[in-house]
Amino acid sequence: MKFYLLQIIVCILLCTSCKEKPKDLAIHKYTIEADVEELNPQVKEVVKDWDGYWALKRNIAMIENTNALNAIEYMDKLASNCNAMILQIPDAVETPAIKSKVDKVDLRINAFYTEVNRNELRERVVQNHIETIVKAFDTLNKELNRTL
């Protein structure tokens, strides 16, 4: 009887000790942080017709809701929308400071496009590239808010 009771206690201890799991560790580990400063309302009005900018902003928002390896699927969209953003810079925002921030975003996207293989399996490599793109885009937004 003691042996049977001991088995039940050990089983209960094993079951209760397994309940303690880190919350969403696997999901959080490779989730991309995409904190991009929002544009001020008057700046939004100035850049409302800048289609390449808004398309790139939507791409970054989509990447924020996925993990690093899924972000590879956005490589072509990032590159084409960045090119559209460069070609369509509105005259009102085409200052040297903003142009340099746009070029920095382009540089980061080109590095991602050329350095990451579509079959990349190392999440951290992809995540590092995406985070630099997001930081460059955030810097562009900050410059737009500051300049306009």
Side-chain angles (χ1 to χ4, degrees):
M1 182 68 163
K2 288 182 183 180
F3 184 70
Y4 179 71
L5 186 60
L6 180 64
Q7 285 179 333
I8 291 174
I9 291 173
V10 169
C11 185
I12 291 171
L13 286 174
L14 285 174
C15 290
T16 58
S17 67
C18 293
K19 278 186 169 180
E20 301 289 329
K21 294 180 183 175
K23 295 181 181 179
D24 299 329
L25 179 64
I27 294 170
H28 181 69
K29 186 175 180 182
Y30 298 113
T31 301
I32 297 169
E33 301 293 327
D35 295 326
V36 177
E37 182 174 310
E38 287 295 318
L39 293 178
N40 296 332
Q42 65 271 20
V43 177
K44 283 183 181 179
E45 185 62 32
V46 172
V47 298
K48 69 180 178 186
D49 295 327
W50 194 5
D51 295 332
Y53 169 85
W54 293 109
L56 189 59
K57 182 174 174 37
R58 282 190 301 274
N59 290 151
I60 290 173
M62 294 295 289
I63 287 170
E64 183 179 20
N65 294 318
T66 188
N67 67 32
L69 292 182
N70 289 338
I72 293 174
E73 295 175 19
Y74 292 93
M75 288 176 80
D76 293 331
K77 290 179 183 177
L78 285 170
S80 66
N81 289 332
C82 187
N83 286 336
M85 182 176 70
I86 291 168
L87 295 173
Q88 301 168 354
I89 296 177
D91 293 335
V93 298
E94 196 166 6
T95 65
I98 292 174
K99 181 77 170 110
S100 75
K101 302 304 182 209
V102 169
D103 289 343
K104 187 174 183 180
V105 172
D106 183 49
L107 179 71
R108 301 296 186 221
I109 290 173
N110 284 334
F112 176 57
Y113 198 82
T114 57
E115 294 174 14
V116 174
N117 186 328
R118 291 190 189 282
N119 299 321
E120 183 65 61
L121 296 176
R122 296 170 296 164
E123 290 92 346
R124 193 71 197 141
V125 171
V126 177
Q127 188 173 6
N128 286 340
H129 278 283
I130 295 297
E131 286 173 357
T132 60
I133 291 169
V134 169
K135 286 178 187 173
F137 193 78
D138 180 57
T139 305
L140 171 63
N141 279 2
K142 288 177 181 173
E143 186 64 35
L144 286 166
N145 284 334
R146 191 180 66 75
T147 304
L148 301 178

